[in-house]
Structures are given as C-alpha cells and as structure tokens.
C-alpha cells in the first residue's frame, strides 16, 4: 500500500532529461551493459527473452511485451540537460567500434523528470534480502516482523533499490561480514543503500562516495531520512577523494568489473590484515578477470555468491 503522506524527494531544478537508448542483439547485452555503465551507473535494461508464460502471472503480461522481439535487448541511460548528448554518443560509438558492436542502434528521446522518476514506483515493492534486512520503498507502509531490519529507500535517480542482483549479492554478504563497531567504506554508493544497510547491521562509521553528484545528493537524502548519524556521503572519483586517515574494516564496491580491476591496485592501502572487501556488479563472463586481478595484487577470495549471471565476491589480503 502506498503511503499517501509520502512526498517525493526534491530532485533540484533539473526537470528535462535525454534518454539515450541503445539496442543490440540479445547475445551482446552484457557487453552493452558494461559499456553503458561507463556513461552512468543508472541503467534501464529492456530484455524480454526470459518471460515465462507458464507462471501464474502469464495472463497478466501486456500484449506489447508478448509481441516484442525476443532476439534483441536495449539499455538506456538518462542524461541531465547540462551533460552533452553529442559527447556521450561520440564516446559510445568509439567504444562500440572497439568492442565490435558496430550494429548497435542508438536513439535519443527527450524525457520529463516526473515521467522518469515516478512512473516506476508502482513496481518497486518491499523485498527481503538475506535473513534480516528488508528494503522498503519510502512511500510504502510496512510492518516489520520480529528481528527484521527495515531500510527505507527512495533511490530517485541513483542506482540502488535492492531489486537488482548486484545489490542483493552485496547485501547478503554484508549480513555475514559486517561486524559490530566496524568502520565501513562504500565506493560507488549510488542511492546509499549499502552504507545504510551496514549501519543498520552494526557498523560504527560508514563513509560513502560516488563520482555522480546526483547520486551523492540522493544518498544524503536517504541517509537523512533514515535518521542514522554515523554515515557521511561525498563526491569521489573511486578512491581519489576517499578519507584515508585510517584503514577500513569493511569495504563495498558494487560497480562493474572494469572499474573494480582499475581500483584493485590502490585499495590495499585502505585495508588492514582482517579487512574484508565486498565486490559486486561483476557479470559471470568477467568474474575470472576480476579474480585474477585480485590474486595478482595479493588478495584471496574467501566467498563467492552468484545470481542470474552476476557474481559477488568477499576478498581479503593473503
């Protein structure tokens, strides 16, 4: 049930967005996702190939979805007015050519913020992840069962609702590796969901960072609304602006394989011998590359989780 008293968050003065939509053959979807993630962490993926009409909901599926071409898939990003669409498309074309995605079809559509920011909310419902954590949309009423920890979220235009496999994998790992009183770092925080979960699980101090100022603003709104006083969120290009005054006990990086690989040589300086690094956002096809990079730089894999083609890792120094 939607809480009628809930008022959507302020997204600033920006109201006009450009949707950049790219369509490829289905078998190249993972490659497209990796490239589009270089433009933005906030992706809209359209893939109708795995629709199962044998479920009890088969009769409720919209006819346009049933008739959609199952051999192709699309990924969209949404650019605010201050970002150059032309530069974005030029970058994408360069990456597509380098990756032999020359048949990728690029479309642009003007979108009003209200349409993009609010229309999906009807489909975002409470979801329990792991044993204790329940991610609840800020506009939904929810009564927790005994022992449940409720994390209320309004992701706005940032990544992190708890519905994506990559986020679920990290949250499951957080339940295992968050120790009472630990110091936690969240790199690429998106909506702030992982830092908030860690705080709920007993972390003493959580420092969250994202390269996208929009994500930082959304995360800070979620942190404020959570009532938690031990989380800070600021802008940083990976580890560049991260507080390095003392090591962290727990580090989360729910990004993409290429960025995790780029970060790996430097992250050890922020860890002590017992620090656990939780890495996610890794498609299965790139998991060996990420693991090889970790091992090359003196890390070992202590746990690996998989879900629907995605991989999450818990890593420590050897």
């Amino acid at each position: 049930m939607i809480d009628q008293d809930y008022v959507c968050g302020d997204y600033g003065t920006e109201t006009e967005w450009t949707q950049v939509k790219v369509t490829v053959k289905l078998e190249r979807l993972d490659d497209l996702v990796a490239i589009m993630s270089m433009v933005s962490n906030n992706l809209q993926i359209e893939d109708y190939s795995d629709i199962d009409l044998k479920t009890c909901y088969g009769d409720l599926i919209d006819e346009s979805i049933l008739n959609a071409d199952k051999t192709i898939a699309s990924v969209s990003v949404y650019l605010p007015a201050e970002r150059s669409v032309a530069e974005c498309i030029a970058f994408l074309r360069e990456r597509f050519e380098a990756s032999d995605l020359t048949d990728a079809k690029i479309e642009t559509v003007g979108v009003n913020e209200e349409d993009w920011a609010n229309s999906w909310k009807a489909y975002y419902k409470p979801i329990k992840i792991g044993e204790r954590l329940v991610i609840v949309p800020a506009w939904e009423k929810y009564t927790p069962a005994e022992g449940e920890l409720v994390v209320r979220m309004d992701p706005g235009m940032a990544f992190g609702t708890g519905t994506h496999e990559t986020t679920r994998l990290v949250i499951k790992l957080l339940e295992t590796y968050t120790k009472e009183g630990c110091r936690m770092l969240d790199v690429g925080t998106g909506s702030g969901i992982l830092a908030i979960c860690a705080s709920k699980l007993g972390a003493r101090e959580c420092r969250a960072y994202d390269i996208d100022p929009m994500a930082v603003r959304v995360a800070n709104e979620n942190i404020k609304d959570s009532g938690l006083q031990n989380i800070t969120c600021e802008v940083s290009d990976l580890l560049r602006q991260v507080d390095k005054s003392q090591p962290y006990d727990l580090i989360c990086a729910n990004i993409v394989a290429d960025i995790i690989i780029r970060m790996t040589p430097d992250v050890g300086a922020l860890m002590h011998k017992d620090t656990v690094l939780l890495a996610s956002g890794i498609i299965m096809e790139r998991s060996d590359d990420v693991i090889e990079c970790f091992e090359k730089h003196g890390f070992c894999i202590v746990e690996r989780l998989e879900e629907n083609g995605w991989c999450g890792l818990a890593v420590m120094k050897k």
Side-chain angles (χ1 to χ4, degrees), residues 199-210:
S199 177
K200 292 270 187 177
L201 289 166
R204 170 181 54 85
E205 176 187 5
C206 300
R207 290 187 174 268
Y209 297 88
D210 202 289

Side-chain angles (χ1 to χ4, degrees), residues 207-223:
R207 290 187 174 268
Y209 297 88
D210 202 289
I211 193 172
D212 184 357
M214 172 74 75
V216 170
R217 190 175 76 216
V218 170
N220 276 318
E221 289 172 354
N222 283 319
I223 292 165

Side-chain angles (χ1 to χ4, degrees), residues 251-291:
I251 299 175
C252 289
N254 182 22
I255 321 176
V256 294
D258 286 332
I259 305 303
I260 292 171
I261 289 172
R262 178 181 141 197
M263 181 185 75
T264 298
D266 303 316
V267 73
L270 302 179
M271 302 170 66
H272 53 69
K273 65 180 182 65
D274 295 320
T275 300
V276 179
L277 167 63
L278 307 180
S280 188
I282 307 164
I283 59 174
M284 291 298 298
E285 290 80 0
R286 298 299 310 280
S287 59
D288 288 344
D289 297 334
V290 175
I291 291 171

Side-chain angles (χ1 to χ4, degrees), residues 29-30 33 43 45 47 50 127 129-130 159-173 193-194 253-255 279-284 305-313:
L29 176 59
D30 288 340
V33 168
L43 305 181
I45 301 174
D47 171 15
D50 59 353
I127 176 172
I129 303 175
F159 177 82
T161 62
T163 59
H164 195 278
E165 290 88 347
T166 60
T167 310
R168 292 201 298 267
L169 288 169
V170 184
I171 292 176
K172 289 177 182 177
L173 290 168
I193 187 172
L194 298 181
N254 182 22
I255 321 176
S280 188
I282 307 164
I283 59 174
M284 291 298 298
L305 298 180
E306 299 175 3
E307 184 177 347
N308 294 334
W310 295 91
C311 174
L313 303 172

Side-chain angles (χ1 to χ4, degrees), residues 43-253:
L43 305 181
Q44 174 183 304
I45 301 174
E46 298 176 55
D47 171 15
Y48 305 116
S49 63
D50 59 353
I51 293 175
D52 185 1
L53 298 180
K54 296 179 181 179
T55 70
C56 60
Y57 303 108
D59 292 340
L60 302 179
I61 298 176
D62 189 89
E63 186 175 352
S64 63
I65 295 178
L66 293 176
N67 295 330
D69 187 345
K70 309 298 192 299
T71 67
I72 60 174
S74 301
V75 179
S76 296
V77 296
Y78 292 81
L79 305 178
E82 66 266 16
R83 288 191 62 180
S84 170
V85 176
E87 287 182 7
C88 170
I89 293 176
F91 169 80
L92 289 174
R93 284 177 174 156
E94 179 183 325
R95 297 299 302 180
F96 292 158
E97 184 174 353
S99 304
D100 194 28
L101 271 173
T102 52
D103 61 343
K105 178 184 176 183
I106 304 177
E107 304 172 79
T108 59
V109 183
V111 181
N112 183 276
E113 178 178 305
E114 183 177 355
D115 298 335
W116 189 85
N118 294 319
S119 62
W120 54 272
K121 291 184 176 180
Y123 307 99
Y124 176 26
K125 300 298 181 182
I127 176 172
K128 186 170 184 178
I129 303 175
E131 297 297 322
R132 303 170 63 195
L133 288 165
V134 184
I135 313 303
V136 180
W139 53 90
E140 288 276 336
K141 292 183 178 179
Y142 182 81
T143 302
E146 184 177 354
E148 287 184 342
L149 299 175
V150 173
V151 175
R152 289 196 169 272
M153 297 297 302
D154 181 0
M157 299 214 171
F159 177 82
T161 62
T163 59
H164 195 278
E165 290 88 347
T166 60
T167 310
R168 292 201 298 267
L169 288 169
V170 184
I171 292 176
K172 289 177 182 177
L173 290 168
L174 276 173
E175 284 200 337
T176 301
Y177 295 99
T178 304
K179 306 303 180 185
E180 191 74 31
C182 72
R183 186 170 191 254
M184 181 263 195
L185 169 65
D186 183 15
V187 183
T189 193
S191 67
I193 187 172
L194 298 181
I196 293 172
C197 285
S199 177
K200 292 270 187 177
L201 289 166
R204 170 181 54 85
E205 176 187 5
C206 300
R207 290 187 174 268
Y209 297 88
D210 202 289
I211 193 172
D212 184 357
M214 172 74 75
V216 170
R217 190 175 76 216
V218 170
N220 276 318
E221 289 172 354
N222 283 319
I223 292 165
K224 180 181 177 182
D225 291 344
S226 74
L228 300 169
Q229 303 295 316
N230 62 341
I231 309 174
T232 60
C233 184
E234 299 173 350
V235 172
S236 177
D237 181 359
L238 283 184
L239 305 178
R240 190 168 298 171
Q241 289 83 27
V242 165
D243 174 41
K244 303 177 178 68
S245 60
Q246 56 182 302
Y248 295 88
D249 306 301
L250 182 65
I251 299 175
C252 289

